[in-house]
Amino acid sequence: MAKVNTYDMTEGNPITLLLKFSLPMLIGNIFQQFYNMVDSIIVGQFVGANALAAVGATGAINFLFFSLAFGLSAGIGIIISQYFGAKDEKKVKKSIATSVYIIMGSAIIMGVLMITSARLVMQLLNTPNEIINDCVVYMRVTGIGMIAVGAYNGVAAILRALGDAKTPLIFLIVACFVNIIFDLLFVISFKWGVFGVALATVIAQCVSAIGCIIYAWKKMPIFHMPIREYVMDREIFRKSIKVGIPVALQNALIALSCVVLQSVVNSFGPTIVAAFTVASRFEQLVHQPFNSLGAALGTYTGQNMGANNIKRIKKGFWAGTKIAVIFSLIMLPIACFGGEAIMSLFTTDEAVIIEGAKGIRVTCFFYSGLGMIYITRSVLNGAGDVKFAMISGCVEVICRVGLARPLTFIPAIGMMSIWYTTGLTWLFTAIVSCIRYAHGKWKSKGIIQDSIKYSKDIINEI
């Protein structure tokens, strides 16, 4: 198989491979967080508090709609990584062709739903009258951009499955700057408010999607197929849906549980809401190295699953675990003793700083659990054990919903329950995920080996 601009992870030192592959994604994820923060700063400073609230109020619901596109992109990426690891270039090409129909189809469906149901959804969420119109505008405009979101995430997932983590990063960085430029133009110069912020985001998404598509077509030989060969393969379509839907549902369940937790946070008043918001922004930064490492481990596992190298997957799991634990231990004293300094970067409100620092001191002791969620999920998903994704999502829902409200009634905990809920959710989900990995069912879940029997020596090795 041609290896131009691809990265074979079936050979080499696992720790070195994972670090080299995850670094570009980490940079990209940090840029993504920066891009989101700049959006909030511009709309908050130049439009007003209601506009900022409107953009924030649509976050969780937009993620619910995006979940399908993200899940299906992850599904097609897992399948391609396994075929790539098996050195089956013909199947890789068929998977790429099929992905066009899957990703575009799901993006169009979700985009139409976002546009047509925006007002009804925001009403069901009891959105305040002062901001509901802006919420509807933002949601509808971003719904139009769903095709670009689907295209970017789809092509990025394929490139990563083939071992190219740098190209999606480059176009994401470009999109960040495009978004900032158009934010400033539309919001400050044109006075378009929330509509301008949403339109700037859509334009940036289109730039990143078009850039990735052009690059893949020109620079990746495996994309060089006549248009007539871009036809849907029924078998691969079935496998993609089988893999992608559980991942999409997992994301949706997690988003739903976060909405429930937010309702508990809101009950404690504006100071705690602000403290939780700022602490969550810091936690999102902590998530990024785990997220990037997990994405690298997913590609690594998929390729080695395609190569039937179970022993190497185990080595990758332990390599990822070491990296995650070391990072957790580095962040522990920083978060524990630097909570006030961290909070001060985001706000000058003394009460918010104090409460947020208390929260960070609680959750920092659970960072290793958070890391293990990413490690185990990535290995299990990469191996094809995607049904567990839904189970994992259910565990998060049960923990967040089951712990958040009851803990508030314990006098010694009270409002700190929201942070204990977050930490304990990470811990319990990590334990369940590690048990699933240790059980070993993932070893026989390879998507491309549905009808293949492992040889006796591989069975003995397992």
Side-chain angles (χ1 to χ4, degrees), residues 363-379:
T363 57
C364 69
F365 287 96
F366 297 91
Y367 287 164
S368 291
L370 175 63
M372 290 311 300
I373 292 174
Y374 280 99
I375 297 300
T376 50
R377 276 182 182 165
S378 299
V379 170

Side-chain angles (χ1 to χ4, degrees), residues 253-254 256-258 260-261 264 366 373 377 390-408 417-433:
L253 286 169
I254 293 170
L256 181 62
S257 69
C258 290
V260 173
L261 179 60
V264 176
F366 297 91
I373 292 174
R377 276 182 182 165
M390 288 189 294
I391 298 173
S392 179
C394 288
V395 171
E396 289 207 30
V397 171
I398 292 170
C399 288
R400 284 200 178 93
V401 175
L403 293 173
R405 185 61 66 182
L407 286 177
T408 63
S417 63
I418 56 180
W419 283 285
Y420 280 108
T421 295
T422 297
L424 290 173
T425 296
W426 293 342
L427 178 61
F428 291 154
T429 305
I431 290 171
V432 172
S433 300

Side-chain angles (χ1 to χ4, degrees), residues 114-341:
M114 286 180 71
I115 293 168
T116 57
S117 68
R119 184 165 295 277
L120 175 61
V121 169
M122 299 316 298
Q123 288 172 340
L124 291 174
L125 291 175
N126 296 317
T127 305
N129 291 331
E130 295 87 346
I131 66 172
I132 192 168
N133 288 332
D134 278 343
C135 288
V136 171
V137 168
Y138 191 84
M139 193 170 167
R140 284 176 174 167
V141 175
T142 52
I144 294 171
M146 270 297 295
I147 293 178
V149 172
Y152 172 77
N153 281 281
V155 177
I158 293 170
L159 292 175
R160 290 180 186 125
L162 299 175
D164 182 0
K166 293 180 181 178
T167 300
L169 159 67
I170 293 170
F171 290 107
L172 179 60
I173 292 174
V174 171
C176 288
F177 286 108
V178 169
N179 185 71
I180 292 169
I181 291 169
F182 280 99
D183 263 346
L184 295 171
L185 177 65
F186 293 159
V187 174
I188 299 175
S189 299
F190 294 176
K191 309 294 183 184
W192 285 353
V194 169
F195 170 76
V197 173
L199 182 59
T201 298
V202 170
I203 292 173
Q205 290 165 343
C206 289
V207 169
S208 61
I210 292 169
C212 271
I213 291 170
I214 292 174
Y215 173 87
W217 182 263
K218 287 189 173 183
K219 300 294 185 179
M220 303 286 282
I222 204 161
F223 280 83
H224 290 175
M225 294 181 281
I227 297 298
R228 65 177 181 274
E229 291 186 16
Y230 274 87
V231 296
M232 186 169 63
D233 183 286
R234 290 186 178 182
E235 179 188 0
I236 292 174
F237 176 82
R238 177 185 62 79
K239 289 178 178 179
S240 298
I241 297 299
K242 179 181 177 182
V243 173
I245 290 298
V247 178
L249 290 177
Q250 175 198 53
N251 290 338
L253 286 169
I254 293 170
L256 181 62
S257 69
C258 290
V259 171
V260 173
L261 179 60
Q262 185 67 51
S263 70
V264 176
V265 174
N266 293 344
S267 69
F268 289 111
T271 297
I272 298 302
V273 171
F276 182 76
T277 299
V278 176
S280 296
R281 286 180 181 174
F282 171 70
E283 285 174 2
Q284 283 302 312
L285 293 177
V286 176
H287 277 257
Q288 300 318 310
F290 294 138
N291 185 25
S292 302
L293 178 61
L297 194 52
T299 297
Y300 172 94
T301 302
Q303 290 191 11
N304 283 285
M305 196 70 181
N308 284 340
N309 197 336
I310 300 298
K311 184 176 181 180
R312 185 169 170 79
I313 293 173
K314 291 180 179 180
K315 289 181 178 179
F317 172 83
W318 289 111
T321 298
K322 290 175 185 177
I323 296 171
V325 170
I326 289 171
F327 176 73
S328 299
L329 293 176
I330 291 172
M331 291 304 300
L332 177 59
I334 293 173
C336 188
F337 300 109
E340 285 82 2

Side-chain angles (χ1 to χ4, degrees), residues 342-386:
I342 292 167
M343 293 294 296
S344 297
L345 296 174
F346 295 89
T347 181
T348 57
D349 189 305
E350 191 65 28
V352 172
I353 291 172
I354 291 172
E355 296 301 331
K358 289 179 183 177
I360 290 174
R361 288 194 189 99
V362 171
T363 57
C364 69
F365 287 96
F366 297 91
Y367 287 164
S368 291
L370 175 63
M372 290 311 300
I373 292 174
Y374 280 99
I375 297 300
T376 50
R377 276 182 182 165
S378 299
V379 170
L380 295 173
N381 286 344
D385 188 12
V386 292

